[in-house]
Amino acid sequence: MRHLLVTLRRRYCYHPKPLIQRAHYKPQNPQPPPAPPSPPKPPKKPAKFSLHGESWEDPYSWMSQLNDKVAMRHMDVYMEQEEKYIEAVMSDTERLQSKLQSEMASRFSFDLSTPPLRWGPWLYYRRAEEGKQYPVLCRRLASLNEEFISHKSPSAGFDFTSGQRIEQKLLDYNQEAERFGGYAYEELSEVSPDHRYLAYTMYDKDNDYFKLSVRDLNFGTLCSKPQADRVSNIAWAKNGQALLYVVTNHDKRPYRLYCSMVGSDEDDILLLEDPQENVYVNIRHTKDFQFVTVNTFSTTSSKIFLINAADPLSGMTLVWECETRVHCIVEHHQGFLYLFTDAAKEGQPVDNHYLLRSPVDPSPSLRKWENVFADDDELIVEDVDFSNSHLALIVRENRVFKLCSVSLPLPSGKGSFHLKELYPQFLPLPSNVTQISPGPNYDYLSSTMRFTISSPVMPDAVVDYDLSNGKWNIVQQQNLLHERTRVLYGSASSGSRGEKSPLSRVDEVNIANDNPWNDLVEYYGCDQYSVPSDGVVVPLTIVYSRHRRKEDQSPGLLHGHGAYGEILDKRWRNELKSLLDRGWVIAYADVRGGGGFGKKWHHDGQRSNKINSIRDYICCAKFLVDNKIVQENKLSGWGYSAGGLLVAAAINSCPDLFRAAVLKVWSLGSSKMGCTGA
């Protein structure tokens, strides 16, 4: 470098005088850093309130007056000030923000097609079309597409060898958006058992309800009927010739059940109307389409009626009732009704679901339900699903989830069984599984069932299990090790007895298939802790980088929800990889009020017991700091929906414990009995 400077001085005849002057230059005193920006102060408008004998003042209650135009204008001004303040505070992190955004965007899974779902002779799937906002529902004949990988193979559903179009578009949601004012949101979608019709409901935002339509898949046209407004449930009957549907009143309470004969000019027939304001009506078909179950429930009762799907106008038969509101789903298999419920046993409340069965034929006065499985405190049945040949069970031993299958039909006349007496076949799972989500498994006659396997250290894996032999196939999973998406269909990923699996299509070059699950346990650790809190033990899960984490030096993010009995979402998130790779610890607190640990765990954290959720969360936060898992003054809270209340309340209680908070609001949908269509 010095030689280069000499050369440049000679070439351009630089004079030494400026250099001499620079030698005598006295630097100015460093300027003090600019003052930090001041946070905006919203205006105070004192207001007094009284409730339950307590009185208080709230100077910011005006912010909730959504119908006050003046207040909302003040709110808009204040929010603009907040945004400018955030920009000023974060101005020195713009490069880091840009880098994080680029990292996270590079890990997005650009799946243009959902995994094809086989039902009967068809493969059903949804795919995106370039430049369009909404997807398209399609299907192909499975016999012509045994190696169907995605909608690109064959390209655009056209087989150039045969010169035939092999993809059938069933519903273009972009066209539905045109029908509904530029917005397309579907709540229900059911193909008829003969694959002739598609019944679905679309949200009509102008009227704030869901509208029922039926499309003839042979011709691609809308049927003149049935069509109905305010529809909340649908179920097919008569092998697709009849559709049953439930409508809501203007208070959005499902209260009427109708039967419509597809293609008929006759008026739809009212099968049930419940005028009681606290009673709700819900329907579903059994997986074999032989029955439609009608659930009516209120805060004081639950009842299940059965309708013969072959003759839906023949009336309803009461098959089960309970003097409280409980969760209950009925399934049918070869002459037996199976009831999965959490109702009290002999007047004693239970903490978890259990499975009952009863013959279809007995009259209500003679009907008797018997337990399928003997009580076992060590083995909890979380969910069940039926096919014609097998029963699939999601079970939990303490905090470990397992998936197994049992051959059907079950022996009759022998009372209840211990699971081991039925010789269950436990299916392969990766390590650290925190959730197993079933379905949709429409094909009742198939021994193959689909599940989504979730883990904090593995991208979600959509897996098809053959319950007859235990073989399994990863249908879809993102491969973050190579920043590519793995989409498989038609070629087995592994076997159940330790046999080597063929290489996947994206991994077949120079990649050994010693990790068929595509998990990340080599790079990220997942530890479980039990945290004492007011006489209970709260499960705490932490995830960290094996190479970047430093004891007592790691920042941390603590996630909590604790509401509605929902299982805390601990799935792998691609955006969190950027934190883990920088030494962060991601922690999950399964506080009371959430799901996964029984009804009592839920009830002990709701309503007047909500304070238990907050205490549990604070105990987990202190545990992280006290045990040097997270550095003091570097712990952040994270909660969405009701979890926002949890985290905010914890910060108000212990403001010195947290440095920051991430609070989100979004709409979540969940179903306890997802595999049986609840």
Side-chain angles (χ1 to χ4, degrees):
M1 176 65 75
R2 184 174 181 179
H3 173 73
L4 179 60
L5 290 175
V6 172
T7 305
L8 287 174
R9 278 200 294 269
R10 289 174 178 172
R11 179 177 301 173
Y12 294 101
C13 300
Y14 285 158
H15 297 284
K17 186 175 181 180
L19 296 178
I20 296 174
Q21 290 176 341
R22 185 176 296 176
H24 292 278
Y25 172 74
K26 293 182 179 180
Q28 298 179 357
N29 293 329
Q31 296 295 322
S38 299
K41 295 181 179 180
K44 295 183 179 181
K45 300 178 181 180
K48 294 183 178 180
F49 300 90
S50 297
L51 186 66
H52 301 309
E54 299 288 338
S55 299
W56 69 94
E57 287 190 359
D58 183 359
Y60 302 113
S61 65
W62 62 270
M63 292 183 173
S64 62
Q65 306 301 318
L66 302 181
N67 295 325
D68 187 333
K69 294 182 179 179
V70 175
M72 289 301 99
R73 281 198 296 268
H74 289 170
M75 192 66 181
D76 289 340
V77 171
Y78 172 64
M79 292 304 297
E80 290 179 3
Q81 294 173 349
E82 283 280 3
E83 291 176 1
K84 292 179 180 178
Y85 170 70
I86 293 172
E87 291 175 358
V89 171
M90 302 292 290
S91 60
D92 60 341
T93 67
E94 290 181 356
R95 289 187 62 186
L96 176 60
Q97 292 182 49
S98 179
K99 181 176 177 60
L100 290 174
Q101 184 178 14
S102 177
E103 286 180 11
M104 295 176 186
S106 69
R107 301 188 200 108
F108 285 160
S109 177
F110 297 100
D111 299 330
L112 300 179
S113 174
T114 61
L117 180 69
R118 184 162 187 165
W119 179 18
W122 295 97
L123 292 170
Y124 289 88
Y125 57 98
R126 297 173 191 259
R127 65 173 178 82
E129 291 189 329
E130 187 174 355
K132 294 187 178 181
Q133 183 176 2
Y134 296 104
V136 180
L137 176 63
C138 304
R139 70 181 178 185
R140 303 183 184 195
L141 283 171
S143 60
L144 301 178
N145 297 269
E146 290 296 338
E147 294 297 323
F148 177 30
I149 305 301
S150 73
H151 71 284
K152 292 184 178 180
S153 174
S155 177
F158 190 84
D159 187 351
F160 290 95
T161 302
S162 63
Q164 297 179 347
R165 179 167 294 279
I166 57 178
E167 177 185 81
Q168 181 184 1
K169 288 185 180 181
L170 306 181
L171 186 60
D172 188 337
Y173 293 95
N174 298 284
Q175 295 178 2
E176 292 299 307
E178 295 178 5
R179 288 180 61 203
F180 292 94
Y183 179 76
Y185 176 68
E186 177 188 77
E187 184 179 53
L188 305 172
S189 179
E190 294 284 348
V191 176
S192 62
D194 62 353
H195 303 273
R196 169 72 185 272
Y197 298 103
L198 171 68
Y200 60 102
T201 60
M202 301 296 298
Y203 182 63
D204 186 337
K205 65 178 181 179
D206 292 334
N207 296 299
D208 191 26
Y209 57 60
F210 286 91
K211 184 178 183 65
L212 171 67
S213 300
V214 176
R215 189 171 293 272
D216 188 324
L217 301 183
N218 286 353
F219 300 99
T221 56
L222 284 173
C223 299
S224 57
K225 67 181 298 294
Q227 292 188 15
D229 299 333
R230 303 193 305 274
V231 174
S232 62
N233 278 116
I234 54 178
W236 287 103
K238 293 186 66 113
N239 197 35
Q241 299 177 43
L243 181 70
L244 279 63
Y245 62 92
V246 177
V247 300
T248 65
N249 62 11
H250 292 285
D251 295 326
K252 299 185 178 181
R253 179 180 68 88
Y255 77 120
R256 284 179 178 171
L257 171 62
Y258 288 92
C259 177
S260 176
M261 298 298 173
V262 180
S264 171
D265 295 330
E266 299 179 0
D267 293 338
D268 296 347
I269 300 171
L270 179 64
L271 301 182
L272 172 69
E273 180 177 10
D274 200 314
Q276 301 178 72
E277 287 302 319
N278 65 337
V279 176
Y280 296 77
V281 179
N282 178 68
I283 62 172
R284 62 178 295 273
H285 63 78
T286 56
K287 290 192 67 177
D288 59 4
F289 285 98
Q290 292 196 28
F291 297 97
V292 174
T293 61
V294 182
N295 291 40
T296 63
F297 56 90
S298 68
T299 56
T300 58
S301 68
S302 300
K303 297 180 181 180
I304 301 180
F305 299 87
L306 211 62
I307 294 177
N308 183 356
D311 187 6
L313 304 182
S314 61
M316 301 186 300
T317 302
L318 179 67
V319 295
W320 188 80
E321 62 180 323
C322 177
E323 294 181 352
T324 184
R325 180 175 179 173
V326 296
H327 183 260
C328 43
I329 295 293
V330 166
E331 192 53 76
H332 172 257
H333 183 273
Q334 296 185 14
F336 280 91
L337 298 177
Y338 288 84
L339 172 65
F340 192 61
T341 184
D342 58 357
K345 287 184 178 181
E346 299 177 355
Q348 298 298 316
V350 299
D351 204 29
N352 297 285
H353 286 69
Y354 56 93
L355 190 63
L356 300 172
R357 71 171 175 176
S358 173
V360 173
D361 297 332
S363 61
S365 59
L366 299 177
R367 184 172 301 282
K368 181 180 179 181
W369 292 90
E370 63 178 9
N371 282 297
V372 174
F373 298 111
D375 294 337
D376 187 346
D377 294 335
E378 301 298 322
L379 190 70
I380 305 301
V381 178
E382 293 286 345
D383 213 340
V384 298
D385 199 355
F386 284 84
S387 73
N388 186 49
S389 58
H390 288 83
L391 169 65
L393 301 106
I394 300 173
V395 299
R396 176 173 54 85
E397 287 185 291
N398 295 321
R399 295 167 66 176
V400 179
F401 285 89
K402 297 181 178 180
L403 181 62
C404 68
S405 65
V406 172
S407 296
L408 293 177
L410 299 178
S412 59
K414 294 185 179 182
S416 57
F417 302 90
H418 289 282
L419 183 59
K420 63 181 180 181
E421 297 179 66
L422 300 175
Y423 305 103
Q425 178 173 231
F426 284 88
L427 302 171
L429 292 173
S431 58
N432 303 299
V433 172
T434 55
Q435 192 168 351
I436 303 174
S437 305
N441 294 310
Y442 290 113
D443 201 336
Y444 178 71
L445 299 179
S446 173
S447 63
T448 298
M449 286 191 184
R450 177 168 295 178
F451 297 86
T452 299
I453 312 300
S454 300
S455 163
V457 287
M458 181 191 77
D460 280 0
V462 181
V463 187
D464 280 352
Y465 290 96
D466 190 334
L467 305 185
S468 64
N469 55 28
K471 291 184 177 180
W472 55 287
N473 172 32
I474 298 179
V475 178
Q476 189 175 70
Q477 184 185 29
Q478 188 175 9
N479 187 343
L480 280 180
L481 297 179
H482 306 285
E483 303 294 341
R484 300 178 69 177
T485 299
R486 170 183 184 175
V487 183
L488 308 176
Y489 197 86
S491 58
S493 173
S494 185
S496 63
R497 297 173 178 82
E499 52 199 72
K500 294 275 186 172
S501 63
L503 298 177
S504 70
R505 291 176 180 261
V506 300
D507 294 338
E508 59 188 1
V509 181
N510 299 323
I511 301 174
N513 191 29
D514 55 357
N515 181 14
W517 286 104
N518 264 348
D519 63 29
L520 307 170
V521 294
E522 181 181 350
Y523 307 95
Y524 304 101
C526 180
D527 295 342
Q528 308 280 348
Y529 294 93
S530 298
V531 179
S533 173
D534 290 339
V536 301
V537 174
V538 181
L540 177 66
T541 304
I542 70 165
V543 182
Y544 55 91
S545 169
R546 297 188 185 275
H547 308 294
R548 301 290 183 178
R549 175 191 174 194
K550 295 180 180 180
E551 185 178 1
D552 200 25
Q553 297 183 34
S554 297
L557 186 63
L558 178 60
H559 184 27
H561 188 252
Y564 314 126
E566 288 184 355
I567 295 177
L568 182 64
D569 188 358
K570 297 188 281 285
R571 294 176 299 168
W572 169 267
R573 287 176 170 83
N574 285 342
E575 64 270 23
L576 295 183
K577 185 176 185 294
S578 293
L579 296 182
L580 294 170
D581 291 346
R582 287 170 171 81
W584 281 65
V585 170
I586 311 298
Y588 301 88
D590 277 297
V591 302
R592 282 172 285 182
F597 302 98
K599 289 171 65 176
K600 187 176 185 304
W601 190 262
H602 171 212
H603 295 323
D604 285 350
Q606 68 171 354
R607 297 180 180 176
S608 60
N609 294 323
K610 188 62 182 176
I611 189 65
N612 290 333
S613 300
I614 301 165
R615 289 170 178 164
D616 292 349
Y617 187 83
I618 293 172
C619 287
C620 289
K622 291 181 177 179
F623 181 89
L624 293 171
V625 174
D626 294 344
N627 289 272
K628 298 184 178 181
I629 298 171
V630 173
Q631 183 177 349
E632 189 176 6
N633 296 325
K634 285 192 175 181
L635 178 63
S636 301
W638 169 27
Y640 59 74
S641 188
L645 167 67
L646 172 72
V647 176
I651 292 175
N652 286 336
S653 299
C654 300
D656 295 335
L657 189 57
F658 300 91
R659 188 65 180 271
V662 180
L663 307 179
K664 297 182 179 181
V665 176
W666 58 53
S667 176
L668 292 176
S670 67
S671 173
K672 172 68 182 176
M673 275 282 284
C675 65
T676 53

